[in-house]
Amino acid sequence: AAATAAGAPPAPAEAVANDGVRTAPEPAREAAPMSGPVRAAPAAGRVAPASGRAVGNAPQAEAAAAARGASPREAPPSAVVAGRVAVAVIGDQPLAGVVADLVQSDLSSAGLQPIDAAALPGAEELLRGQGAPGASELVRAVATSDAAMLVVARIEPAGERVLSYMGRRDVATSSRVTFTCYDLATGRPKGPSRGATVEYTSLSVERAAEKALASAIAEVVRQTR
């Protein structure tokens, strides 16, 4: 076989000579080692740092920030829903449920979205605890929700009297119900408070409340629009 010229590329793994006899493949050449330090390729999914910024995914970065004593990321506040009205009723329990139902029913009929303030975090403890919470406490508690308005109905006892009819005796209870609407964006009342006195017995509480409070609740709906 003819000698290979200097500088020619290496022969293929298996070559055929002119006389048709196959020659053994040449051993593979080892690559010459690179001079200087070898740089490792960046790990998959990581981006080389730029402008001095730390490299790492978001959870690792947040964990590192927490380890350095950085303040945790605050949760975004609830988005206020226009037309959503929280209703809080404070006072006499036999009448409180009836008043709440009447207010929420009229708000719904007007196209608004009433919610029970007692079901909201923060306000629940105030409304179901002992004593009557102040207006400012309720406003602060409900303002963290997505409600735009707050209606507070306060029920205060106004006396009672004995009724005698058809040979029967019953006790009629009188309560003063006062409504105040608050704009949760400002914490201030939307208008003057409205109220009425309800006289009722255990059998007439719903009918008596609906009749006595109709005008005051209509004003509540007007102010919350």
Side-chain angles (χ1 to χ4, degrees):
T4 303
E14 184 175 300
V16 180
N18 293 335
D19 55 2
V21 179
R22 296 178 180 272
T23 61
E26 294 183 4
R29 297 180 180 180
E30 295 182 359
M34 296 176 61
S35 59
V38 179
R39 295 184 180 180
R46 295 173 65 88
V47 180
S51 304
R53 293 186 179 181
V55 178
N57 54 32
Q60 291 174 339
E62 291 179 1
R68 293 194 303 267
S71 59
R73 182 182 300 176
E74 295 181 358
S78 300
V80 175
V81 177
R84 183 159 294 183
V85 183
V87 179
V89 182
I90 304 167
D92 183 37
Q93 290 306 311
L95 186 57
V98 176
V99 172
D101 289 343
L102 290 174
V103 173
Q104 294 189 34
S105 176
D106 282 18
L107 289 172
S108 296
S109 298
L112 300 171
Q113 302 176 39
I115 55 175
D116 184 4
L120 299 176
E124 178 181 7
E125 297 180 0
L126 293 174
L127 293 170
R128 295 181 179 176
Q130 299 294 328
S136 59
E137 291 179 295
L138 279 174
V139 169
R140 284 195 301 269
V142 179
T144 60
S145 70
D146 59 359
M149 302 288 296
L150 169 64
V151 175
V152 178
R154 292 187 181 275
I155 304 175
E156 299 174 335
E160 58 184 32
R161 64 190 180 98
V162 178
L163 301 177
S164 299
Y165 55 95
M166 299 179 62
R168 300 177 58 184
R169 293 170 62 87
D170 203 347
V171 176
T173 302
S174 295
S175 297
R176 177 72 181 176
V177 184
T178 305
F179 300 97
T180 308
C181 301
Y182 294 91
D183 184 346
L184 293 176
T186 63
R188 298 178 180 178
K190 283 283 290 183
S193 299
R194 295 293 300 270
T197 299
V198 182
E199 185 180 59
Y200 60 94
T201 65
S202 58
L203 299 177
S204 66
V205 56
E206 294 182 7
R207 183 175 65 255
E210 183 176 5
K211 180 179 179 180
L213 301 176
S215 177
I217 294 177
E219 177 61 19
V220 167
V221 173
R222 188 192 69 78
Q223 291 185 16
T224 54
R225 283 178 172 174

